[in-house]
PDB file of all heavy atoms in Angstrom:
ATOM      1  N   ASN A 139      40.870 -56.824  64.129  1.00 46.00           N
ATOM      2  CA  ASN A 139      41.639 -57.776  64.910  1.00 46.00           C
ATOM      3  C   ASN A 139      42.072 -57.287  66.340  1.00 46.00           C
ATOM      4  O   ASN A 139      42.395 -58.179  67.082  1.00 46.00           O
ATOM      5  CB  ASN A 139      42.938 -57.878  64.085  1.00 46.00           C
ATOM      6  CG  ASN A 139      42.748 -58.701  62.881  1.00 46.00           C
ATOM      7  OD1 ASN A 139      41.805 -59.582  62.944  1.00 46.00           O
ATOM      8  ND2 ASN A 139      43.628 -58.622  61.861  1.00 46.00           N
ATOM      9  N   VAL A 140      41.925 -55.928  66.507  1.00 49.00           N
ATOM     10  CA  VAL A 140      42.344 -55.559  67.896  1.00 49.00           C
ATOM     11  C   VAL A 140      41.346 -55.916  68.857  1.00 49.00           C
ATOM     12  O   VAL A 140      40.130 -55.974  68.391  1.00 49.00           O
ATOM     13  CB  VAL A 140      42.638 -54.035  67.852  1.00 49.00           C
ATOM     14  CG1 VAL A 140      43.712 -53.561  66.997  1.00 49.00           C
ATOM     15  CG2 VAL A 140      41.289 -53.184  67.446  1.00 49.00           C
ATOM     16  N   PRO A 141      41.595 -56.021  70.185  1.00 52.00           N
ATOM     17  CA  PRO A 141      40.657 -56.395  71.180  1.00 52.00           C
ATOM     18  C   PRO A 141      39.606 -55.351  71.117  1.00 52.00           C
ATOM     19  O   PRO A 141      39.879 -54.127  70.979  1.00 52.00           O
ATOM     20  CB  PRO A 141      41.484 -56.358  72.469  1.00 52.00           C
ATOM     21  CG  PRO A 141      42.872 -56.652  71.976  1.00 52.00           C
ATOM     22  CD  PRO A 141      43.022 -55.996  70.630  1.00 52.00           C
ATOM     23  N   ARG A 142      38.348 -55.763  71.355  1.00 57.00           N
ATOM     24  CA  ARG A 142      37.213 -54.847  71.431  1.00 57.00           C
ATOM     25  C   ARG A 142      37.403 -53.875  72.621  1.00 57.00           C
ATOM     26  O   ARG A 142      37.956 -54.204  73.622  1.00 57.00           O
ATOM     27  CB  ARG A 142      35.800 -55.523  71.507  1.00 57.00           C
ATOM     28  CG  ARG A 142      35.617 -56.169  72.817  1.00 57.00           C
ATOM     29  CD  ARG A 142      34.235 -56.979  72.792  1.00 57.00           C
ATOM     30  NE  ARG A 142      33.896 -57.400  74.174  1.00 57.00           N
ATOM     31  CZ  ARG A 142      33.185 -56.684  75.001  1.00 57.00           C
ATOM     32  NH1 ARG A 142      32.810 -55.462  74.621  1.00 57.00           N
ATOM     33  NH2 ARG A 142      32.952 -57.128  76.209  1.00 57.00           N
ATOM     34  N   PRO A 143      36.945 -52.587  72.379  1.00 58.00           N
ATOM     35  CA  PRO A 143      36.994 -51.623  73.516  1.00 58.00           C
ATOM     36  C   PRO A 143      36.242 -52.058  74.733  1.00 58.00           C
ATOM     37  O   PRO A 143      35.148 -52.612  74.552  1.00 58.00           O
ATOM     38  CB  PRO A 143      36.420 -50.341  72.915  1.00 58.00           C
ATOM     39  CG  PRO A 143      36.253 -50.615  71.418  1.00 58.00           C
ATOM     40  CD  PRO A 143      36.316 -52.021  71.132  1.00 58.00           C
ATOM     41  N   THR A 144      36.755 -51.864  75.810  1.00 61.00           N
ATOM     42  CA  THR A 144      36.172 -52.253  77.097  1.00 61.00           C
ATOM     43  C   THR A 144      36.087 -51.035  78.078  1.00 61.00           C
ATOM     44  O   THR A 144      36.998 -50.238  78.025  1.00 61.00           O
ATOM     45  CB  THR A 144      36.824 -53.433  77.837  1.00 61.00           C
ATOM     46  OG1 THR A 144      38.149 -53.160  78.049  1.00 61.00           O
ATOM     47  CG2 THR A 144      36.696 -54.709  76.945  1.00 61.00           C
ATOM     48  N   LEU A 145      35.057 -50.942  78.735  1.00 61.00           N
ATOM     49  CA  LEU A 145      34.925 -49.758  79.717  1.00 61.00           C
ATOM     50  C   LEU A 145      34.648 -50.335  81.063  1.00 61.00           C
ATOM     51  O   LEU A 145      33.506 -50.592  81.379  1.00 61.00           O
ATOM     52  CB  LEU A 145      33.693 -48.865  79.303  1.00 61.00           C
ATOM     53  CG  LEU A 145      33.896 -48.197  77.873  1.00 61.00           C
ATOM     54  CD1 LEU A 145      32.621 -47.486  77.535  1.00 61.00           C
ATOM     55  CD2 LEU A 145      35.134 -47.271  77.959  1.00 61.00           C
ATOM     56  N   PRO A 146      35.687 -50.669  81.810  1.00 66.00           N
ATOM     57  CA  PRO A 146      35.505 -51.187  83.136  1.00 66.00           C
ATOM     58  C   PRO A 146      34.657 -50.418  83.996  1.00 66.00           C
ATOM     59  O   PRO A 146      34.772 -49.098  84.031  1.00 66.00           O
ATOM     60  CB  PRO A 146      36.934 -51.437  83.684  1.00 66.00           C
ATOM     61  CG  PRO A 146      37.742 -50.330  82.920  1.00 66.00           C
ATOM     62  CD  PRO A 146      37.110 -50.280  81.542  1.00 66.00           C
ATOM     63  N   ALA A 147      33.728 -50.999  84.794  1.00 63.00           N
ATOM     64  CA  ALA A 147      32.858 -50.384  85.715  1.00 63.00           C
ATOM     65  C   ALA A 147      33.734 -49.731  86.767  1.00 63.00           C
ATOM     66  O   ALA A 147      34.660 -50.323  87.326  1.00 63.00           O
ATOM     67  CB  ALA A 147      31.803 -51.253  86.303  1.00 63.00           C
ATOM     68  N   PRO A 148      33.329 -48.419  87.201  1.00 66.00           N
ATOM     69  CA  PRO A 148      34.069 -47.850  88.288  1.00 66.00           C
ATOM     70  C   PRO A 148      33.817 -48.554  89.567  1.00 66.00           C
ATOM     71  O   PRO A 148      32.727 -48.987  89.947  1.00 66.00           O
ATOM     72  CB  PRO A 148      33.533 -46.344  88.301  1.00 66.00           C
ATOM     73  CG  PRO A 148      32.192 -46.444  87.711  1.00 66.00           C
ATOM     74  CD  PRO A 148      32.284 -47.654  86.702  1.00 66.00           C
ATOM     75  N   VAL A 149      34.937 -48.761  90.297  1.00 67.00           N
ATOM     76  CA  VAL A 149      34.837 -49.410  91.720  1.00 67.00           C
ATOM     77  C   VAL A 149      34.713 -48.321  92.700  1.00 67.00           C
ATOM     78  O   VAL A 149      35.408 -47.313  92.681  1.00 67.00           O
ATOM     79  CB  VAL A 149      36.072 -50.229  91.987  1.00 67.00           C
ATOM     80  CG1 VAL A 149      36.051 -50.867  93.350  1.00 67.00           C
ATOM     81  CG2 VAL A 149      36.243 -51.368  90.826  1.00 67.00           C
ATOM     82  N   ALA A 150      33.723 -48.533  93.557  1.00 66.00           N
ATOM     83  CA  ALA A 150      33.586 -47.597  94.703  1.00 66.00           C
ATOM     84  C   ALA A 150      34.768 -47.467  95.500  1.00 66.00           C
ATOM     85  O   ALA A 150      35.341 -48.540  95.943  1.00 66.00           O
ATOM     86  CB  ALA A 150      32.323 -48.032  95.500  1.00 66.00           C
ATOM     87  N   SER A 151      35.268 -46.235  95.893  1.00 68.00           N
ATOM     88  CA  SER A 151      36.382 -46.176  96.643  1.00 68.00           C
ATOM     89  C   SER A 151      36.160 -44.967  97.620  1.00 68.00           C
ATOM     90  O   SER A 151      35.302 -44.119  97.381  1.00 68.00           O
ATOM     91  CB  SER A 151      37.710 -45.909  95.767  1.00 68.00           C
ATOM     92  OG  SER A 151      37.475 -44.825  94.964  1.00 68.00           O
TER      93      SER A 151
END
Side-chain angles (χ1 to χ4, degrees):
N139 283 339
V140 297
R142 71 181 188 89
T144 56
L145 299 173
V149 178
S151 60

